[in-house]
Amino acid sequence: MKTEIIRVYGIVQGVGFRPFVSREADRLSLAGTVSNKGSYVEIHAQGDEKAVDGLLKALKGNAPERSEVLDVISAHADEPPYAGFEIIESEKEQGDIFVSPDIGICDKCKAELFDSSDRRYLHPFINCTQCGPRLTILDSMPYDRVRTSMNEFPMCESCAKEYENPETRRYDAQPVCCNDCGPEVYLIGTDIKGKAAITAARKAIKEGKIIAVKGIGGFHLCCSASDEQAVKRLRKLKNRPMKPFAVMLKDMETAKRECAISPEQETLLCGWQKPIVLLKKKKGGKLCESVAPDNPNVGVMLPYAPVQLLLFNYDDGIKTPDCLVMTSGNASGAPICRSDEDAVKEISHFCDLMLSHNRKIRLRADDTVTDFWGGRPYMIRRSRGFAPLPIMLSENFGGQVLAIGGELKNSFCIGKKNLFYPSPYVGDMADIRTVNALKESVGRMCELLEAAPAAVACDLHPKYNTVTAAEEMGLPVIKVQHHFAHILSCIAENDYSGKVIGVSFDGTGYGEDGTIWGGELLLCDYSGYERLGSIRPFIQAGGDLSAKEGWRIAASIIGEIFGEQGGDICEKLSVCDKKNFKVLSAMTDRRINSVISTSAGRLFDGVSAILGIRKASTFEGEASMTLQFEAQKYSEEPFADYEPMEKLTAQKETGVTLCTHALVKRLCENRLSGRDTPQLAYEFHALLSDMITAACDKIRSDSGVSVCALSGGVFQNKLLLKMTVARLEKQGFKVLTHSLIPPNDGGIALGQAVYAAKILERNN
Ligand code: ZN
Ligand code: ZN
Ligand code: FE
């Protein structure tokens, strides 16, 4: 007979870990206890040696599917005999904290949901130890019902029995509930609730109306995705002419009817995180054109909350569409609504009916959006299902930091020792409501993770709202250059600790010299960077307008290349008329409302205008995205036919400049001579990646560094990514790319955080 105290670290709370331990202990006839300690699960196991070993083996080998055991530490103890094995109340201890993300409904619960003999038949809140909300209902750790928003709903006798019986799937499942004791759905502003509310919502969808529906991490706006009029009306109400909407499809079969799906994409789509996955549309599907206009792809997710399944299937005899638009329920620029008050104020005028419920959402979580590349997810927006799983570095900087993140697509990050916890998506900081949401979420996450940051990291930009928010925190502020933060996020995600050549291609970011950067080559590691190259600087005329109106960039670069002839060329290319060209030139000559820029994102916008693809964008990235789609019409191969360029880079005092003006000049001439647009779009991508590769080669020969890291929003462009990786690898480079951290500004908080942690370490 021996007693062993075993500590299990990792995602071991809210995933059925204690019940699993208790069942294993019964199987092995062990006595003792198991409890949550906040940062780990502690087991006192008493029995014969073989049984204790059996338990240790099971912990490593058979742990519940949703858990992630990172470490098991055991030590021998002398303890008086236990009478049996029991789960004891949680006590808080100091240490690393792992909070489970929200988990999409599991197959067993789904089967019960539609089993008319089950007592949870059609219960909109069905869940178990393996599924249901977690992060979004949590007040504090350790994860127990009293510290969640389910605390308001006392369990009925039957639920309590299941909760207490280790033989059931709901043993110790914190959000457990049923039709008798659980939360309730209702239509906001009416006294319609329960079944009648769901039927009303389904009827509205069928009739082509728009509804708001509260899910796990916030509200969605929803309508039939096969009804052109409904979708167009939603676009009009939301003032969103072109930006693609995500869709929720009834099941895998429907998804396969609408989209081309590889086996890996299928796994990702069905996985418990239930992200939105970008997929190629098939011809002849039921999705209407307005869902994702002029776009070969569409963002698809499967239902993950029971209430969403009920929108597709119910016992009211109504047949609803199998494709629904499911877009975040927010006013443009504002964060996703999580309460009825928010929803009434912000989105009631976008919809005909609002289906809500009384289980409170503590922390917002938008849907995660991911693309797929190189056999792995390629994250666009990391949120529900992923946040706040930490990134773990091998190197331990020791301190605690908060990184406030970027101004666009904001998410923040908390660092504790070698663990970095990226937050759910927050949004764009131009809107004061989002800034407030950021401050609130920072407070909540710090509380959950018991973080006491010693410093706060933010961007360099003097006018960013995130910077002001960081400065108001009363902590030492560490400013991190935007493109450096992008590269750091990429090396941190890859847990790489040496020097890299960072290719940071992006929209815009504030440079150390006060100009706008965005097409940068940085030689860097965790402690700092040198800017050794960039695309050729150009004058970005028109201030903020130039981010939306790519023709301004086009006209400005054409003016720099062709001088006075520029007006003629702009007119022939339909970039703008001579008069507009003159006005723009006068402005740039006198530097009115004009800045020097090396933004690769803006270069893409400009080229899109020159090739007659998009002169302006109605949402961020539209012009460059359509330029990519155009190129893919020619070829998706990294090395299809194109005419190479002799001179790719030019030497400057320190480092290199990419000959992007020469490239634009060639594109203009070829376009004027009537060459095919898709081919020219392809050539632009190919030659730009040739230039990047040549510049990296140059930097390698001076520095000896042969590892490249690709980051920045421009690398959401998978054609450019594919081409650049292929060329760099051909030249013998090792290439680091993103997977679970977005290449766009949603990822930079991680980079800011590791840099701040490194600075703290150095100063201590
Ligand atoms: Zn379940
Ligand atoms: Zn119940
Ligand atoms: Fe950026």
Side-chain angles (χ1 to χ4, degrees), residues 104-110 126-132 169-170:
I105 187 168
C106 72
D107 289 342
K108 285 181 184 156
C109 285
K110 200 168 150 183
I126 189 169
N127 67 79
C128 72
T129 52
Q130 296 295 294
C131 76
R169 295 199 298 117
R170 298 194 170 84

Side-chain angles (χ1 to χ4, degrees), residues 482 486 506 745:
H482 188 95
H486 270 301
D506 198 24
D745 287 5

Side-chain angles (χ1 to χ4, degrees), residues 356-601:
S356 186
H357 61 73
N358 55 353
R359 185 178 67 201
K360 293 191 178 91
I361 297 172
R362 300 294 196 217
L363 194 73
R364 291 176 187 83
D366 279 73
D367 296 315
T368 287
V369 183
T370 179
D371 205 333
F372 199 79
W373 184 75
R376 301 190 296 172
Y378 193 63
M379 207 52 82
I380 303 297
R381 179 166 81 193
R382 186 187 194 271
S383 202
R384 179 186 48 77
F386 291 88
L389 292 182
I391 300 287
M392 195 189 280
L393 298 188
S394 319
E395 217 173 327
N396 187 348
F397 301 129
Q400 293 195 27
V401 294
L402 164 69
I404 207 86
E407 199 76 355
L408 290 175
K409 304 183 168 70
N410 177 278
S411 81
F412 58 94
C413 180
I414 291 168
K416 288 175 80 177
K417 296 188 293 186
N418 65 330
L419 293 171
F420 292 85
Y421 304 81
S423 78
Y425 174 83
V426 183
D428 291 346
M429 290 300 140
D431 194 302
I432 187 71
R433 289 169 292 190
T434 320
V435 178
N436 291 334
L438 169 67
K439 289 178 186 165
E440 191 206 329
S441 304
V442 164
R444 193 163 275 277
M445 280 266 291
C446 280
E447 220 176 287
L448 273 184
L449 300 172
E450 288 162 22
V456 52
C458 65
D459 200 84
L460 267 186
H461 200 293
K463 284 185 188 155
Y464 275 179
N465 286 330
T466 43
V467 175
T468 313
E471 284 167 346
E472 285 169 2
M473 302 207 129
L475 293 168
V477 175
I478 296 169
K479 297 198 173 181
V480 193
Q481 202 282 325
H482 188 95
H483 304 97
F484 176 41
H486 270 301
I487 299 303
L488 286 175
S489 75
C490 183
I491 48 185
E493 164 166 24
N494 287 281
D495 197 15
Y496 186 80
S497 55
K499 261 206 162 110
V500 301
I501 303 169
V503 183
S504 199
F505 270 43
D506 198 24
T508 53
Y510 195 77
E512 303 271 4
D513 56 4
T515 69
I516 289 182
W517 293 6
E520 311 306 313
L521 287 130
L522 310 172
L523 186 64
C524 55
D525 60 18
Y526 286 137
S527 43
Y529 75 95
E530 266 179 285
R531 186 192 193 205
L532 290 184
S534 74
I535 65 168
R536 165 113 178 232
F538 56 88
I539 295 174
Q540 194 172 315
D544 288 344
L545 267 183
S546 61
K548 286 186 182 143
E549 300 186 351
W551 69 266
R552 292 174 186 274
I553 307 286
S556 174
I557 297 180
I558 287 173
E560 287 175 30
I561 296 171
F562 296 97
E564 286 191 355
Q565 276 186 324
D568 255 1
I569 291 173
C570 279
E571 208 160 83
K572 279 185 193 145
L573 291 171
S574 313
V575 166
C576 63
D577 59 23
K578 275 187 206 152
K579 204 180 114 207
N580 271 325
F581 178 81
K582 249 192 164 157
V583 174
L584 202 101
S585 301
M587 268 166 54
T588 53
D589 285 351
R590 278 180 270 154
R591 289 294 158 85
I592 299 167
N593 209 9
S594 307
V595 281
I596 294 177
S597 165
T598 50
S599 163

Side-chain angles (χ1 to χ4, degrees), residues 119 155-156 159 177-178 180-181:
R119 64 182 201 87
M155 275 182 265
C156 70
C159 283
C177 59
C178 71
D180 295 331
C181 66

